[in-house]
């Protein structure tokens, strides 16, 4: 509600007690949408989603985005919520009377819920029914973390690092040899440590991250195993304690970077659904900025910044957000456009 702004809060107070069918509708306020449908929680997730879908169709909206309803203060299981929400979408998509509502999005920012929603969607993708196909074609999932894919995981294997050390123990008796062997083993074990990192983002590791892991394994006294057949994927780091700790920190930073990048891409996708920034290209035609730049321009505009530096055709430009003109260091000026996409109207 804070993000939507005082205007929406005032409308909610105005309509309080006047709701029908378990919800009220207000303007979008500061959010990236034209309308907000506020649900009155009753833990009947499937019924609530169904009512909202039919209301959107009645109002001729083209798209609607849901959070994971009931998984917050209501404390409902994310697996149960996923099944009920997707059941409602599939049943709605089955109806031949649906003409206007084309896209249903479920926006998930809680990483721990992704698996439940992914598995629920996967069950429907694996189904042979036409109902599942129609529901899947309507449903999109926008997540603030890793994007799940129905494709098979890409397995990557680190080159196994084995440095053998041979001890030859000589003594006056077998007992002395055995005692010395036991003492050496104890010393080795005291210096050994193992750390297992589990995170769904590990599945998104590509050749770049694998190369970094291989370099760490070469430079440090550790062995790194990538266990990506597990759910969630794991990285096991074993070796000398100090090196295991330092490598673990670097791996955690890699994971966080992947999550941040994917969350940024997801947010950029949401902004692109609402507004598109363009620059004047050749032949007097306007060209859309990439989605990340589009989001940066829109955020700057909404926060009332006067200028923003962007790249146009790999060259640096300074955008005046009041005049919608971009100027480079040589004084060349390019006109910009800000086009609102009025989905649902």
């Amino acid at each position: 509600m804070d993000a939507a702004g005082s205007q929406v809060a005032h409308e909610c107070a105005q309509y309080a007690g006047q709701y029908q069918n378990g919800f009220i509708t207000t303007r979008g306020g500061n959010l990236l949408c034209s309308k907000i449908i506020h649900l009155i929680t009753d833990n009947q997730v499937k019924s609530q989603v169904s009512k909202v879908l039919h209301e959107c169709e009645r109002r001729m909206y083209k798209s609607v985005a849901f959070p994971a309803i009931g998984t917050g203060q209501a404390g409902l299981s994310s697996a149960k919520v996923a099944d009920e929400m997707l059941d409602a979408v599939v049943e709605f998509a089955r109806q031949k009377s649906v003409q206007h509502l084309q896209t249903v999005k479920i926006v998930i920012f809680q990483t721990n819920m992704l698996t439940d929603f992914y598995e629920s969607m996967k069950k429907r993708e694996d189904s042979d029914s036409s109902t599942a196909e129609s529901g899947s074609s309507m449903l999109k999932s926008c997540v603030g973390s890793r994007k799940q894919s129905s494709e098979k995981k890409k397995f990557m294997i680190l080159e196994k690092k084995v440095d053998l050390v041979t001890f030859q123990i000589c003594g006056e008796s077998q007992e002395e040899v055995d005692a010395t062997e036991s003492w050496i083993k104890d010393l080795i074990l005291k210096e050994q440590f193992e750390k297992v990192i589990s995170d769904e983002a590990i599945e998104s590791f590509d050749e770049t991250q694998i190369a970094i892991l291989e370099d760490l394994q070469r430079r440090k006294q550790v062995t790194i195993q990538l266990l990506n057949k597990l759910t969630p994927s794991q990285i096991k780091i074993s070796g000398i304690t100090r090196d295991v700790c330092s490598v673990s920190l670097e791996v955690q930073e890699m994971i966080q970077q992947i999550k941040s990048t994917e969350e940024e891409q997801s947010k950029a996708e949401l902004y692109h659904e609402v507004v598109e920034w363009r620059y004047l290209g050749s032949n007097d035609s306007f060209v859309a900025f990439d989605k990340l730049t589009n989001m940066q321009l829109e955020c700057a505009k909404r926060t009332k910044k006067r200028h923003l530096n962007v790249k146009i055709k790999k060259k640096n430009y300074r955008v005046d957000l009041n005049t919608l003109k971009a100027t480079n260091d040589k004084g060349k000026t390019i006109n910009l456009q800000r086009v609102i996409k009025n989905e649902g109207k």
Side-chain angles (χ1 to χ4, degrees), residues 313-335:
K313 296 181 179 178
K314 299 182 179 181
K315 294 183 179 180
N316 295 322
Y317 281 80
R318 183 176 174 83
V319 175
D320 186 320
L321 293 163
N322 292 324
T323 62
L324 298 188
K325 293 183 181 295
T327 306
N328 65 12
D329 55 2
K330 296 182 179 179
K332 180 181 178 181
T333 299
I334 296 178
N335 292 327

Side-chain angles (χ1 to χ4, degrees), residues 65-79:
F66 290 92
I69 297 173
T71 57
Q73 293 182 351
L76 298 180
S77 159
S78 57

Side-chain angles (χ1 to χ4, degrees), residues 83-206:
D83 285 340
E84 292 199 17
M85 292 187 73
L86 296 178
D87 283 345
V89 173
V90 170
E91 289 183 11
F92 176 79
R94 180 198 306 160
Q95 300 174 18
K96 296 181 179 179
S97 59
V98 176
Q99 297 179 354
H100 304 288
L101 188 58
Q102 300 172 2
T103 303
V104 178
K105 299 178 181 178
I106 299 178
V107 184
I108 308 165
F109 287 104
Q110 300 90 336
T111 305
N112 58 316
M113 296 183 188
L114 290 176
T115 300
D116 291 326
F117 275 85
Y118 172 67
E119 292 298 332
S120 187
M121 291 182 68
K122 190 68 169 60
K123 285 188 295 186
R124 288 159 177 79
E125 288 177 358
D126 291 340
S127 171
D128 292 330
S129 69
S130 59
T131 300
E133 291 180 6
S134 60
S136 296
S137 65
M138 176 178 287
L139 182 68
K140 293 183 179 179
S141 177
C142 293
V143 298
S145 186
R146 182 179 58 88
K147 294 183 178 179
Q148 295 278 10
S149 171
S150 60
E151 296 177 1
K152 293 183 178 180
K153 294 181 180 180
K154 185 175 183 180
F155 297 107
M156 297 185 181
I157 303 173
L158 293 177
E159 180 182 352
K160 188 169 179 62
K161 175 183 178 181
V162 180
D163 294 324
L164 296 178
V165 176
T166 302
F167 290 91
Q168 290 184 335
I169 305 172
C170 302
E172 294 183 355
S173 66
Q174 185 63 43
E175 289 76 10
E176 290 181 351
V177 171
D178 291 342
T180 303
E181 180 183 0
S182 178
W183 175 74
I184 292 172
K185 287 180 177 179
D186 287 342
L187 284 178
I188 293 173
L189 289 174
K190 285 179 181 178
E191 285 296 318
Q192 294 296 304
F193 185 64
E194 182 177 283
K195 174 75 173 178
V196 176
I197 301 173
S198 300
D199 200 293
E200 292 179 347
I202 294 171
E203 185 183 331
S204 297
F205 276 28
D206 59 18

